[in-house]
Amino acid sequence: MKVSVIGLGYIGLPAAALISGKGIFVHGVDINEKIVGTINSGRIHFIEPELEGLIHHAVSNKLLIADTKPSEADVFIVSVPTPILADNSPDLSYVEKAIGSIIPYLQKGNLLILESTCPVGTTERMVEMILTKRPELKGSFFAAYCPERVLPGNIIHELINNDRVIGGVDKTSSEKAADFYRQFVNGNMHLTDSRTAEMCKLVENASRDVSIAFANELSMICQRAGINTNELIELANKHPRVNILKPGPGVGGHCIAIDPWFIVDSFPEEAKLIRQAREVNMSKTEWVIEKISEEAKRFENAAGKKPVIACMGLTYKADVDDIRESPAMEIKNQLERSGFSVKAADPLITNGIKETIKIFTPEESVSQADMVVFLVGHKQFRSLPVPANKIILDFCNINHQKSIL
Ligand code: SAJ
């Protein structure tokens, strides 16, 4: 069997690693020649535990080759990005380009799987796009939507063990796709239709966005009420059926901050709460900037100079190196645009990003700053000493580290 994985990013590359790990040849395809070169040298282009070893093993055993062009295969997996445009509508250009690139190579009996997060109805539209160009394939290839639900930092384990939702455009397609995944997935297969599977992926993340919005709104209420939000949430969660999530400086990443917009875009009349949750989570980032600016004003009035501000953490969430859609990065940039001297520290930021951003060590940032603002709860910050004469603003509940003289 030969499998072609189109898109070798956070989802495609781990899938390629697991499939080739089962002795199935994988032809990986990516438009980025640098990524193709990195993979063919047995290395990977982002941090993910266990993945580099699997890729190195697959490449050295000639079970994985990366390429910029597709070729014939038995199974095609499309796992390319689906970002949103400035007006928050989905950008399906990568999916359309990926599907367009494999149309000449599709053969009777092939299985096409779309894994990229996409609006409801996309899989059916892609099949129509294929049949417009290749009408002779009608009824003789299989197509399914199979979303992934892995947590960055634990992708390999979750790809293997999480249940999978398998949404075929018809029953046989669902069964073919489930049989394919069973070769490397231990989780249960839940078969449904493609539209339900597409919506399932979106609602998983939208429901989380709504839950996070509740925590973020609570934090803004508590700040005005003079209540410690984290203590309040801890107490409320003692209730056996309450699970309030953690407030943060906003919602980042390329999933939770993006996917709900796919539902809002398709169902603008009905998706009121989902849209409102997005607005609350985006307003939280502005609120954090406002709070930092208010504290900086107080410092300036007292000290007669603008404070140097240490921004602790730039990634989109704790203990990952990913800065995509990062609220912390947005906060740092806005503070710099407001004329503040910012000393940013993030021990997870790998060199590639460092070249474009001046990154200090946590110790350097703290020692050079008047205000220390914790934006991302990296575990390295938990034991970081902060002298008691520094103003500490903590937006990620790192507050159990002790200040020292
Ligand atoms: N966040 C909070 N408070 C919380 C939880 C998260 O402020 O209590 C923030 C994080 O700091 C981050 C953002 O939300 O900025 C998203 O973080 P996350 O851990 O919720 O999600 P991701 O984007 O890393 O991964 C999500 C996961 N989806 C769910 O948990 C429902 C993952 O399982 C998905 O596979 C992934 O999106 C995806 O690829 O869709």
Side-chain angles (χ1 to χ4, degrees), residues 148-152 201 204-205 208 212 245-248 250-252 255-256 259 316-317:
E148 46 65 37
R149 43 180 54 158
V150 295
L151 203 60
K201 172 67 191 175
E204 285 165 8
N205 284 343
R208 189 164 172 83
I212 297 167
L245 295 184
K246 297 183 183 67
V251 169
C255 312
I256 306 276
D259 299 0
Y316 85 88
K317 72 176 197 179

mmCIF file with all atom_site columns, all heavy atoms in Angstrom, residues 148-152 201 204-205 208 212 245-248 250-252 255-256 259 316-317, ligand 1:
data_model
loop_
_atom_site.group_PDB
_atom_site.id
_atom_site.type_symbol
_atom_site.label_atom_id
_atom_site.label_alt_id
_atom_site.label_comp_id
_atom_site.label_asym_id
_atom_site.label_entity_id
_atom_site.label_seq_id
_atom_site.pdbx_PDB_ins_code
_atom_site.Cartn_x
_atom_site.Cartn_y
_atom_site.Cartn_z
_atom_site.occupancy
_atom_site.B_iso_or_equiv
_atom_site.pdbx_formal_charge
_atom_site.auth_seq_id
_atom_site.auth_comp_id
_atom_site.auth_asym_id
_atom_site.auth_atom_id
_atom_site.pdbx_PDB_model_num
ATOM   1   N N   . GLU A 1 148 ? -8.610  15.471 13.277 1.00 0.00 ? 148 GLU A N   1
ATOM   2   C CA  . GLU A 1 148 ? -7.703  15.026 14.332 1.00 0.00 ? 148 GLU A CA  1
ATOM   3   C C   . GLU A 1 148 ? -8.064  15.834 15.575 1.00 0.00 ? 148 GLU A C   1
ATOM   4   O O   . GLU A 1 148 ? -8.749  16.845 15.503 1.00 0.00 ? 148 GLU A O   1
ATOM   5   C CB  . GLU A 1 148 ? -6.245  15.246 13.946 1.00 0.00 ? 148 GLU A CB  1
ATOM   6   C CG  . GLU A 1 148 ? -5.921  16.580 13.356 1.00 0.00 ? 148 GLU A CG  1
ATOM   7   C CD  . GLU A 1 148 ? -6.121  17.732 14.341 1.00 0.00 ? 148 GLU A CD  1
ATOM   8   O OE1 . GLU A 1 148 ? -5.841  17.587 15.541 1.00 0.00 ? 148 GLU A OE1 1
ATOM   9   O OE2 . GLU A 1 148 ? -6.573  18.784 13.888 1.00 0.00 ? 148 GLU A OE2 1
ATOM   10  N N   . ARG A 1 149 ? -7.665  15.374 16.709 1.00 0.00 ? 149 ARG A N   1
ATOM   11  C CA  . ARG A 1 149 ? -7.945  16.122 17.944 1.00 0.00 ? 149 ARG A CA  1
ATOM   12  C C   . ARG A 1 149 ? -6.766  15.968 18.895 1.00 0.00 ? 149 ARG A C   1
ATOM   13  O O   . ARG A 1 149 ? -6.912  15.586 20.028 1.00 0.00 ? 149 ARG A O   1
ATOM   14  C CB  . ARG A 1 149 ? -9.242  15.644 18.587 1.00 0.00 ? 149 ARG A CB  1
ATOM   15  C CG  . ARG A 1 149 ? -9.393  14.150 18.579 1.00 0.00 ? 149 ARG A CG  1
ATOM   16  C CD  . ARG A 1 149 ? -10.627 13.598 19.172 1.00 0.00 ? 149 ARG A CD  1
ATOM   17  N NE  . ARG A 1 149 ? -11.910 14.075 18.707 1.00 0.00 ? 149 ARG A NE  1
ATOM   18  C CZ  . ARG A 1 149 ? -13.022 13.374 18.859 1.00 0.00 ? 149 ARG A CZ  1
ATOM   19  N NH1 . ARG A 1 149 ? -12.939 12.151 19.355 1.00 0.00 ? 149 ARG A NH1 1
ATOM   20  N NH2 . ARG A 1 149 ? -14.190 13.840 18.509 1.00 0.00 ? 149 ARG A NH2 1
ATOM   21  N N   . VAL A 1 150 ? -5.577  16.247 18.361 1.00 0.00 ? 150 VAL A N   1
ATOM   22  C CA  . VAL A 1 150 ? -4.362  16.038 19.167 1.00 0.00 ? 150 VAL A CA  1
ATOM   23  C C   . VAL A 1 150 ? -3.980  17.312 19.890 1.00 0.00 ? 150 VAL A C   1
ATOM   24  O O   . VAL A 1 150 ? -4.281  18.408 19.425 1.00 0.00 ? 150 VAL A O   1
ATOM   25  C CB  . VAL A 1 150 ? -3.196  15.572 18.284 1.00 0.00 ? 150 VAL A CB  1
ATOM   26  C CG1 . VAL A 1 150 ? -3.495  14.200 17.696 1.00 0.00 ? 150 VAL A CG1 1
ATOM   27  C CG2 . VAL A 1 150 ? -2.903  16.581 17.195 1.00 0.00 ? 150 VAL A CG2 1
ATOM   28  N N   . LEU A 1 151 ? -3.311  17.146 21.001 1.00 0.00 ? 151 LEU A N   1
ATOM   29  C CA  . LEU A 1 151 ? -2.857  18.315 21.767 1.00 0.00 ? 151 LEU A CA  1
ATOM   30  C C   . LEU A 1 151 ? -1.381  18.532 21.464 1.00 0.00 ? 151 LEU A C   1
ATOM   31  O O   . LEU A 1 151 ? -0.561  17.622 21.670 1.00 0.00 ? 151 LEU A O   1
ATOM   32  C CB  . LEU A 1 151 ? -3.063  18.066 23.266 1.00 0.00 ? 151 LEU A CB  1
ATOM   33  C CG  . LEU A 1 151 ? -3.158  19.333 24.112 1.00 0.00 ? 151 LEU A CG  1
ATOM   34  C CD1 . LEU A 1 151 ? -4.319  20.212 23.669 1.00 0.00 ? 151 LEU A CD1 1
ATOM   35  C CD2 . LEU A 1 151 ? -3.266  19.000 25.575 1.00 0.00 ? 151 LEU A CD2 1
ATOM   36  N N   . PRO A 1 152 ? -1.034  19.681 20.905 1.00 0.00 ? 152 PRO A N   1
ATOM   37  C CA  . PRO A 1 152 ? 0.385   19.955 20.641 1.00 0.00 ? 152 PRO A CA  1
ATOM   38  C C   . PRO A 1 152 ? 1.211   19.682 21.910 1.00 0.00 ? 152 PRO A C   1
ATOM   39  O O   . PRO A 1 152 ? 0.800   20.040 22.997 1.00 0.00 ? 152 PRO A O   1
ATOM   40  C CB  . PRO A 1 152 ? 0.378   21.448 20.291 1.00 0.00 ? 152 PRO A CB  1
ATOM   41  C CG  . PRO A 1 152 ? -0.997  21.705 19.744 1.00 0.00 ? 152 PRO A CG  1
ATOM   42  C CD  . PRO A 1 152 ? -1.915  20.775 20.479 1.00 0.00 ? 152 PRO A CD  1
ATOM   43  N N   . LYS A 1 201 ? -15.743 18.471 14.687 1.00 0.00 ? 201 LYS A N   1
ATOM   44  C CA  . LYS A 1 201 ? -14.425 19.088 14.949 1.00 0.00 ? 201 LYS A CA  1
ATOM   45  C C   . LYS A 1 201 ? -14.610 20.538 15.379 1.00 0.00 ? 201 LYS A C   1
ATOM   46  O O   . LYS A 1 201 ? -13.986 21.010 16.336 1.00 0.00 ? 201 LYS A O   1
ATOM   47  C CB  . LYS A 1 201 ? -13.578 19.033 13.671 1.00 0.00 ? 201 LYS A CB  1
ATOM   48  C CG  . LYS A 1 201 ? -12.276 19.799 13.757 1.00 0.00 ? 201 LYS A CG  1
ATOM   49  C CD  . LYS A 1 201 ? -11.313 19.165 14.740 1.00 0.00 ? 201 LYS A CD  1
ATOM   50  C CE  . LYS A 1 201 ? -10.130 20.065 15.026 1.00 0.00 ? 201 LYS A CE  1
ATOM   51  N NZ  . LYS A 1 201 ? -9.250  19.505 16.062 1.00 0.00 ? 201 LYS A NZ  1
ATOM   52  N N   . GLU A 1 204 ? -16.140 20.889 18.928 1.00 0.00 ? 204 GLU A N   1
ATOM   53  C CA  . GLU A 1 204 ? -15.205 20.512 20.021 1.00 0.00 ? 204 GLU A CA  1
ATOM   54  C C   . GLU A 1 204 ? -14.431 21.759 20.463 1.00 0.00 ? 204 GLU A C   1
ATOM   55  O O   . GLU A 1 204 ? -14.315 22.063 21.650 1.00 0.00 ? 204 GLU A O   1
ATOM   56  C CB  . GLU A 1 204 ? -14.216 19.454 19.529 1.00 0.00 ? 204 GLU A CB  1
ATOM   57  C CG  . GLU A 1 204 ? -14.799 18.068 19.393 1.00 0.00 ? 204 GLU A CG  1
ATOM   58  C CD  . GLU A 1 204 ? -13.907 17.137 18.564 1.00 0.00 ? 204 GLU A CD  1
ATOM   59  O OE1 . GLU A 1 204 ? -12.767 17.526 18.218 1.00 0.00 ? 204 GLU A OE1 1
ATOM   60  O OE2 . GLU A 1 204 ? -14.365 16.028 18.262 1.00 0.00 ? 204 GLU A OE2 1
ATOM   61  N N   . ASN A 1 205 ? -13.920 22.482 19.467 1.00 0.00 ? 205 ASN A N   1
ATOM   62  C CA  . ASN A 1 205 ? -13.097 23.656 19.794 1.00 0.00 ? 205 ASN A CA  1
ATOM   63  C C   . ASN A 1 205 ? -13.940 24.858 20.168 1.00 0.00 ? 205 ASN A C   1
ATOM   64  O O   . ASN A 1 205 ? -13.572 25.638 21.048 1.00 0.00 ? 205 ASN A O   1
ATOM   65  C CB  . ASN A 1 205 ? -12.158 23.971 18.625 1.00 0.00 ? 205 ASN A CB  1
ATOM   66  C CG  . ASN A 1 205 ? -10.984 22.978 18.589 1.00 0.00 ? 205 ASN A CG  1
ATOM   67  O OD1 . ASN A 1 205 ? -10.711 22.296 19.569 1.00 0.00 ? 205 ASN A OD1 1
ATOM   68  N ND2 . ASN A 1 205 ? -10.315 22.889 17.462 1.00 0.00 ? 205 ASN A ND2 1
ATOM   69  N N   . ARG A 1 208 ? -14.947 24.680 23.728 1.00 0.00 ? 208 ARG A N   1
ATOM   70  C CA  . ARG A 1 208 ? -13.825 25.047 24.619 1.00 0.00 ? 208 ARG A CA  1
ATOM   71  C C   . ARG A 1 208 ? -13.655 26.568 24.635 1.00 0.00 ? 208 ARG A C   1
ATOM   72  O O   . ARG A 1 208 ? -13.400 27.171 25.676 1.00 0.00 ? 208 ARG A O   1
ATOM   73  C CB  . ARG A 1 208 ? -12.546 24.367 24.154 1.00 0.00 ? 208 ARG A CB  1
ATOM   74  C CG  . ARG A 1 208 ? -11.380 24.508 25.135 1.00 0.00 ? 208 ARG A CG  1
ATOM   75  C CD  . ARG A 1 208 ? -10.308 23.508 24.816 1.00 0.00 ? 208 ARG A CD  1
ATOM   76  N NE  . ARG A 1 208 ? -9.095  23.674 25.554 1.00 0.00 ? 208 ARG A NE  1
ATOM   77  C CZ  . ARG A 1 208 ? -8.876  23.211 26.791 1.00 0.00 ? 208 ARG A CZ  1
ATOM   78  N NH1 . ARG A 1 208 ? -9.849  22.573 27.423 1.00 0.00 ? 208 ARG A NH1 1
ATOM   79  N NH2 . ARG A 1 208 ? -7.730  23.395 27.400 1.00 0.00 ? 208 ARG A NH2 1
ATOM   80  N N   . ILE A 1 212 ? -13.719 28.892 27.900 1.00 0.00 ? 212 ILE A N   1
ATOM   81  C CA  . ILE A 1 212 ? -12.619 29.792 28.257 1.00 0.00 ? 212 ILE A CA  1
ATOM   82  C C   . ILE A 1 212 ? -13.140 31.224 28.374 1.00 0.00 ? 212 ILE A C   1
ATOM   83  O O   . ILE A 1 212 ? -12.748 31.981 29.261 1.00 0.00 ? 212 ILE A O   1
ATOM   84  C CB  . ILE A 1 212 ? -11.480 29.711 27.219 1.00 0.00 ? 212 ILE A CB  1
ATOM   85  C CG1 . ILE A 1 212 ? -10.869 28.303 27.200 1.00 0.00 ? 212 ILE A CG1 1
ATOM   86  C CG2 . ILE A 1 212 ? -10.394 30.751 27.525 1.00 0.00 ? 212 ILE A CG2 1
ATOM   87  C CD1 . ILE A 1 212 ? -9.961  28.050 26.005 1.00 0.00 ? 212 ILE A CD1 1
ATOM   88  N N   . LEU A 1 245 ? -12.887 26.713 33.571 1.00 0.00 ? 245 LEU A N   1
ATOM   89  C CA  . LEU A 1 245 ? -11.507 26.671 33.064 1.00 0.00 ? 245 LEU A CA  1
ATOM   90  C C   . LEU A 1 245 ? -10.706 27.865 33.593 1.00 0.00 ? 245 LEU A C   1
ATOM   91  O O   . LEU A 1 245 ? -11.197 28.640 34.408 1.00 0.00 ? 245 LEU A O   1
ATOM   92  C CB  . LEU A 1 245 ? -11.545 26.649 31.535 1.00 0.00 ? 245 LEU A CB  1
ATOM   93  C CG  . LEU A 1 245 ? -12.187 25.389 30.932 1.00 0.00 ? 245 LEU A CG  1
ATOM   94  C CD1 . LEU A 1 245 ? -12.082 25.414 29.409 1.00 0.00 ? 245 LEU A CD1 1
ATOM   95  C CD2 . LEU A 1 245 ? -11.585 24.115 31.481 1.00 0.00 ? 245 LEU A CD2 1
ATOM   96  N N   . LYS A 1 246 ? -9.459  27.994 33.098 1.00 0.00 ? 246 LYS A N   1
ATOM   97  C CA  . LYS A 1 246 ? -8.559  29.014 33.644 1.00 0.00 ? 246 LYS A CA  1
ATOM   98  C C   . LYS A 1 246 ? -8.565  30.293 32.800 1.00 0.00 ? 246 LYS A C   1
ATOM   99  O O   . LYS A 1 246 ? -8.436  30.229 31.574 1.00 0.00 ? 246 LYS A O   1
ATOM   100 C CB  . LYS A 1 246 ? -7.110  28.471 33.673 1.00 0.00 ? 246 LYS A CB  1
ATOM   101 C CG  . LYS A 1 246 ? -6.901  27.274 34.578 1.00 0.00 ? 246 LYS A CG  1
ATOM   102 C CD  . LYS A 1 246 ? -5.410  26.889 34.580 1.00 0.00 ? 246 LYS A CD  1
ATOM   103 C CE  . LYS A 1 246 ? -5.182  25.652 35.426 1.00 0.00 ? 246 LYS A CE  1
ATOM   104 N NZ  . LYS A 1 246 ? -5.833  24.459 34.780 1.00 0.00 ? 246 LYS A NZ  1
ATOM   105 N N   . PRO A 1 247 ? -8.653  31.468 33.463 1.00 0.00 ? 247 PRO A N   1
ATOM   106 C CA  . PRO A 1 247 ? -8.509  32.713 32.699 1.00 0.00 ? 247 PRO A CA  1
ATOM   107 C C   . PRO A 1 247 ? -7.063  32.841 32.187 1.00 0.00 ? 247 PRO A C   1
ATOM   108 O O   . PRO A 1 247 ? -6.150  32.263 32.760 1.00 0.00 ? 247 PRO A O   1
ATOM   109 C CB  . PRO A 1 247 ? -8.798  33.811 33.722 1.00 0.00 ? 247 PRO A CB  1
ATOM   110 C CG  . PRO A 1 247 ? -9.089  33.151 35.019 1.00 0.00 ? 247 PRO A CG  1
ATOM   111 C CD  . PRO A 1 247 ? -8.798  31.711 34.908 1.00 0.00 ? 247 PRO A CD  1
ATOM   112 N N   . GLY A 1 248 ? -6.908  33.560 31.115 1.00 0.00 ? 248 GLY A N   1
ATOM   113 C CA  . GLY A 1 248 ? -5.561  33.798 30.569 1.00 0.00 ? 248 GLY A CA  1
ATOM   114 C C   . GLY A 1 248 ? -5.551  35.166 29.904 1.00 0.00 ? 248 GLY A C   1
ATOM   115 O O   . GLY A 1 248 ? -6.509  35.932 30.009 1.00 0.00 ? 248 GLY A O   1
ATOM   116 N N   . GLY A 1 250 ? -6.026  35.849 26.934 1.00 0.00 ? 250 GLY A N   1
ATOM   117 C CA  . GLY A 1 250 ? -6.730  35.747 25.652 1.00 0.00 ? 250 GLY A CA  1
ATOM   118 C C   . GLY A 1 250 ? -6.521  34.346 25.124 1.00 0.00 ? 250 GLY A C   1
ATOM   119 O O   . GLY A 1 250 ? -5.812  33.537 25.721 1.00 0.00 ? 250 GLY A O   1
ATOM   120 N N   . VAL A 1 251 ? -7.125  34.050 23.979 1.00 0.00 ? 251 VAL A N   1
ATOM   121 C CA  . VAL A 1 251 ? -7.055  32.695 23.424 1.00 0.00 ? 251 VAL A CA  1
ATOM   122 C C   . VAL A 1 251 ? -6.219  32.707 22.157 1.00 0.00 ? 251 VAL A C   1
ATOM   123 O O   . VAL A 1 251 ? -6.497  33.466 21.226 1.00 0.00 ? 251 VAL A O   1
ATOM   124 C CB  . VAL A 1 251 ? -8.480  32.154 23.128 1.00 0.00 ? 251 VAL A CB  1
ATOM   125 C CG1 . VAL A 1 251 ? -8.407  30.878 22.299 1.00 0.00 ? 251 VAL A CG1 1
ATOM   126 C CG2 . VAL A 1 251 ? -9.210  31.906 24.439 1.00 0.00 ? 251 VAL A CG2 1
ATOM   127 N N   . GLY A 1 252 ? -5.193  31.874 22.131 1.00 0.00 ? 252 GLY A N   1
ATOM   128 C CA  . GLY A 1 252 ? -4.312  31.834 20.963 1.00 0.00 ? 252 GLY A CA  1
ATOM   129 C C   . GLY A 1 252 ? -4.312  30.463 20.327 1.00 0.00 ? 252 GLY A C   1
ATOM   130 O O   . GLY A 1 252 ? -5.186  29.639 20.595 1.00 0.00 ? 252 GLY A O   1
ATOM   131 N N   . CYS A 1 255 ? -6.222  26.901 16.477 1.00 0.00 ? 255 CYS A N   1
ATOM   132 C CA  . CYS A 1 255 ? -7.434  26.060 16.488 1.00 0.00 ? 255 CYS A CA  1
ATOM   133 C C   . CYS A 1 255 ? -8.570  26.753 17.215 1.00 0.00 ? 255 CYS A C   1
ATOM   134 O O   . CYS A 1 255 ? -9.538  27.179 16.622 1.00 0.00 ? 255 CYS A O   1
ATOM   135 C CB  . CYS A 1 255 ? -7.115  24.738 17.172 1.00 0.00 ? 255 CYS A CB  1
ATOM   136 S SG  . CYS A 1 255 ? -5.627  24.017 16.562 1.00 0.00 ? 255 CYS A SG  1
ATOM   137 N N   . ILE A 1 256 ? -8.417  26.881 18.566 1.00 0.00 ? 256 ILE A N   1
ATOM   138 C CA  . ILE A 1 256 ? -9.535  27.390 19.374 1.00 0.00 ? 256 ILE A CA  1
ATOM   139 C C   . ILE A 1 256 ? -9.893  28.817 18.958 1.00 0.00 ? 256 ILE A C   1
ATOM   140 O O   . ILE A 1 256 ? -11.060 29.203 18.969 1.00 0.00 ? 256 ILE A O   1
ATOM   141 C CB  . ILE A 1 256 ? -9.173  27.360 20.879 1.00 0.00 ? 256 ILE A CB  1
ATOM   142 C CG1 . ILE A 1 256 ? -8.719  25.981 21.287 1.00 0.00 ? 256 ILE A CG1 1
ATOM   143 C CG2 . ILE A 1 256 ? -10.341 27.822 21.705 1.00 0.00 ? 256 ILE A CG2 1
ATOM   144 C CD1 . ILE A 1 256 ? -9.769  25.002 21.636 1.00 0.00 ? 256 ILE A CD1 1
ATOM   145 N N   . ASP A 1 259 ? -11.341 28.056 14.799 1.00 0.00 ? 259 ASP A N   1
ATOM   146 C CA  . ASP A 1 259 ? -12.437 27.159 14.393 1.00 0.00 ? 259 ASP A CA  1
ATOM   147 C C   . ASP A 1 259 ? -13.843 27.720 14.652 1.00 0.00 ? 259 ASP A C   1
ATOM   148 O O   . ASP A 1 259 ? -14.726 27.552 13.803 1.00 0.00 ? 259 ASP A O   1
ATOM   149 C CB  . ASP A 1 259 ? -12.274 25.789 15.075 1.00 0.00 ? 259 ASP A CB  1
ATOM   150 C CG  . ASP A 1 259 ? -10.951 25.123 14.677 1.00 0.00 ? 259 ASP A CG  1
ATOM   151 O OD1 . ASP A 1 259 ? -10.198 25.730 13.888 1.00 0.00 ? 259 ASP A OD1 1
ATOM   152 O OD2 . ASP A 1 259 ? -10.658 24.025 15.165 1.00 0.00 ? 259 ASP A OD2 1
ATOM   153 N N   . TYR A 1 316 ? 1.694   30.833 22.546 1.00 0.00 ? 316 TYR A N   1
ATOM   154 C CA  . TYR A 1 316 ? 0.237   30.953 22.657 1.00 0.00 ? 316 TYR A CA  1
ATOM   155 C C   . TYR A 1 316 ? -0.319  30.248 23.866 1.00 0.00 ? 316 TYR A C   1
ATOM   156 O O   . TYR A 1 316 ? -1.454  30.478 24.273 1.00 0.00 ? 316 TYR A O   1
ATOM   157 C CB  . TYR A 1 316 ? -0.449  30.483 21.361 1.00 0.00 ? 316 TYR A CB  1
ATOM   158 C CG  . TYR A 1 316 ? -0.704  29.004 21.241 1.00 0.00 ? 316 TYR A CG  1
ATOM   159 C CD1 . TYR A 1 316 ? -1.870  28.426 21.726 1.00 0.00 ? 316 TYR A CD1 1
ATOM   160 C CD2 . TYR A 1 316 ? 0.215   28.185 20.600 1.00 0.00 ? 316 TYR A CD2 1
ATOM   161 C CE1 . TYR A 1 316 ? -2.107  27.060 21.597 1.00 0.00 ? 316 TYR A CE1 1
ATOM   162 C CE2 . TYR A 1 316 ? -0.024  26.832 20.460 1.00 0.00 ? 316 TYR A CE2 1
ATOM   163 C CZ  . TYR A 1 316 ? -1.176  26.269 20.960 1.00 0.00 ? 316 TYR A CZ  1
ATOM   164 O OH  . TYR A 1 316 ? -1.402  24.918 20.834 1.00 0.00 ? 316 TYR A OH  1
ATOM   165 N N   . LYS A 1 317 ? 0.493   29.367 24.465 1.00 0.00 ? 317 LYS A N   1
ATOM   166 C CA  . LYS A 1 317 ? 0.077   28.736 25.724 1.00 0.00 ? 317 LYS A CA  1
ATOM   167 C C   . LYS A 1 317 ? 1.300   28.181 26.422 1.00 0.00 ? 317 LYS A C   1
ATOM   168 O O   . LYS A 1 317 ? 2.403   28.170 25.866 1.00 0.00 ? 317 LYS A O   1
ATOM   169 C CB  . LYS A 1 317 ? -0.979  27.660 25.498 1.00 0.00 ? 317 LYS A CB  1
ATOM   170 C CG  . LYS A 1 317 ? -0.487  26.388 24.861 1.00 0.00 ? 317 LYS A CG  1
ATOM   171 C CD  . LYS A 1 317 ? -1.674  25.404 24.802 1.00 0.00 ? 317 LYS A CD  1
ATOM   172 C CE  . LYS A 1 317 ? -1.220  23.993 24.578 1.00 0.00 ? 317 LYS A CE  1
ATOM   173 N NZ  . LYS A 1 317 ? -2.335  23.043 24.537 1.00 0.00 ? 317 LYS A NZ  1
HETATM 174 N N1  . SAJ B 2 .   ? -6.643  28.561 27.352 1.00 0.00 ? 1   SAJ B N1  1
HETATM 175 C C1  . SAJ B 2 .   ? -7.055  29.369 28.406 1.00 0.00 ? 1   SAJ B C1  1
HETATM 176 N N2  . SAJ B 2 .   ? -7.646  28.792 29.492 1.00 0.00 ? 1   SAJ B N2  1
HETATM 177 C C2  . SAJ B 2 .   ? -7.850  27.437 29.566 1.00 0.00 ? 1   SAJ B C2  1
HETATM 178 C C3  . SAJ B 2 .   ? -7.434  26.634 28.475 1.00 0.00 ? 1   SAJ B C3  1
HETATM 179 C C4  . SAJ B 2 .   ? -6.823  27.203 27.373 1.00 0.00 ? 1   SAJ B C4  1
HETATM 180 O O1  . SAJ B 2 .   ? -6.879  30.591 28.390 1.00 0.00 ? 1   SAJ B O1  1
HETATM 181 O O2  . SAJ B 2 .   ? -8.362  26.969 30.585 1.00 0.00 ? 1   SAJ B O2  1
HETATM 182 C C5  . SAJ B 2 .   ? -6.001  29.174 26.189 1.00 0.00 ? 1   SAJ B C5  1
HETATM 183 C C6  . SAJ B 2 .   ? -4.574  28.696 25.979 1.00 0.00 ? 1   SAJ B C6  1
HETATM 184 O O3  . SAJ B 2 .   ? -3.668  29.511 26.728 1.00 0.00 ? 1   SAJ B O3  1
HETATM 185 C C7  . SAJ B 2 .   ? -4.392  28.907 24.478 1.00 0.00 ? 1   SAJ B C7  1
HETATM 186 C C8  . SAJ B 2 .   ? -5.789  28.634 23.935 1.00 0.00 ? 1   SAJ B C8  1
HETATM 187 O O4  . SAJ B 2 .   ? -6.697  28.763 25.026 1.00 0.00 ? 1   SAJ B O4  1
HETATM 188 O O5  . SAJ B 2 .   ? -4.049  30.248 24.188 1.00 0.00 ? 1   SAJ B O5  1
HETATM 189 C C9  . SAJ B 2 .   ? -5.939  27.245 23.294 1.00 0.00 ? 1   SAJ B C9  1
HETATM 190 O O6  . SAJ B 2 .   ? -5.271  26.305 24.120 1.00 0.00 ? 1   SAJ B O6  1
HETATM 191 P P1  . SAJ B 2 .   ? -5.851  24.791 24.237 1.00 0.00 ? 1   SAJ B P1  1
HETATM 192 O O7  . SAJ B 2 .   ? -4.925  24.005 25.056 1.00 0.00 ? 1   SAJ B O7  1
HETATM 193 O O8  . SAJ B 2 .   ? -7.249  24.865 24.665 1.00 0.00 ? 1   SAJ B O8  1
HETATM 194 O O9  . SAJ B 2 .   ? -5.938  24.269 22.758 1.00 0.00 ? 1   SAJ B O9  1
HETATM 195 P P2  . SAJ B 2 .   ? -4.916  23.929 21.574 1.00 0.00 ? 1   SAJ B P2  1
HETATM 196 O O10 . SAJ B 2 .   ? -5.185  24.965 20.535 1.00 0.00 ? 1   SAJ B O10 1
HETATM 197 O O11 . SAJ B 2 .   ? -3.522  23.719 21.969 1.00 0.00 ? 1   SAJ B O11 1
HETATM 198 O O12 . SAJ B 2 .   ? -5.520  22.523 21.100 1.00 0.00 ? 1   SAJ B O12 1
HETATM 199 C C10 . SAJ B 2 .   ? -6.903  22.440 20.853 1.00 0.00 ? 1   SAJ B C10 1
HETATM 200 C C11 . SAJ B 2 .   ? -7.410  21.179 21.526 1.00 0.00 ? 1   SAJ B C11 1
HETATM 201 N N3  . SAJ B 2 .   ? -8.844  21.112 21.454 1.00 0.00 ? 1   SAJ B N3  1
HETATM 202 C C12 . SAJ B 2 .   ? -9.532  20.883 22.613 1.00 0.00 ? 1   SAJ B C12 1
HETATM 203 O O13 . SAJ B 2 .   ? -8.963  20.760 23.693 1.00 0.00 ? 1   SAJ B O13 1
HETATM 204 C C13 . SAJ B 2 .   ? -11.016 20.794 22.479 1.00 0.00 ? 1   SAJ B C13 1
HETATM 205 C C14 . SAJ B 2 .   ? -6.852  19.974 20.812 1.00 0.00 ? 1   SAJ B C14 1
HETATM 206 O O14 . SAJ B 2 .   ? -7.411  18.778 21.318 1.00 0.00 ? 1   SAJ B O14 1
HETATM 207 C C15 . SAJ B 2 .   ? -7.189  20.068 19.333 1.00 0.00 ? 1   SAJ B C15 1
HETATM 208 O O15 . SAJ B 2 .   ? -6.728  18.939 18.617 1.00 0.00 ? 1   SAJ B O15 1
HETATM 209 C C16 . SAJ B 2 .   ? -6.532  21.298 18.784 1.00 0.00 ? 1   SAJ B C16 1
HETATM 210 O O16 . SAJ B 2 .   ? -7.120  22.423 19.458 1.00 0.00 ? 1   SAJ B O16 1
HETATM 211 C C17 . SAJ B 2 .   ? -6.788  21.355 17.314 1.00 0.00 ? 1   SAJ B C17 1
HETATM 212 O O17 . SAJ B 2 .   ? -5.810  21.056 16.569 1.00 0.00 ? 1   SAJ B O17 1
HETATM 213 O O18 . SAJ B 2 .   ? -7.914  21.592 16.913 1.00 0.00 ? 1   SAJ B O18 1
#
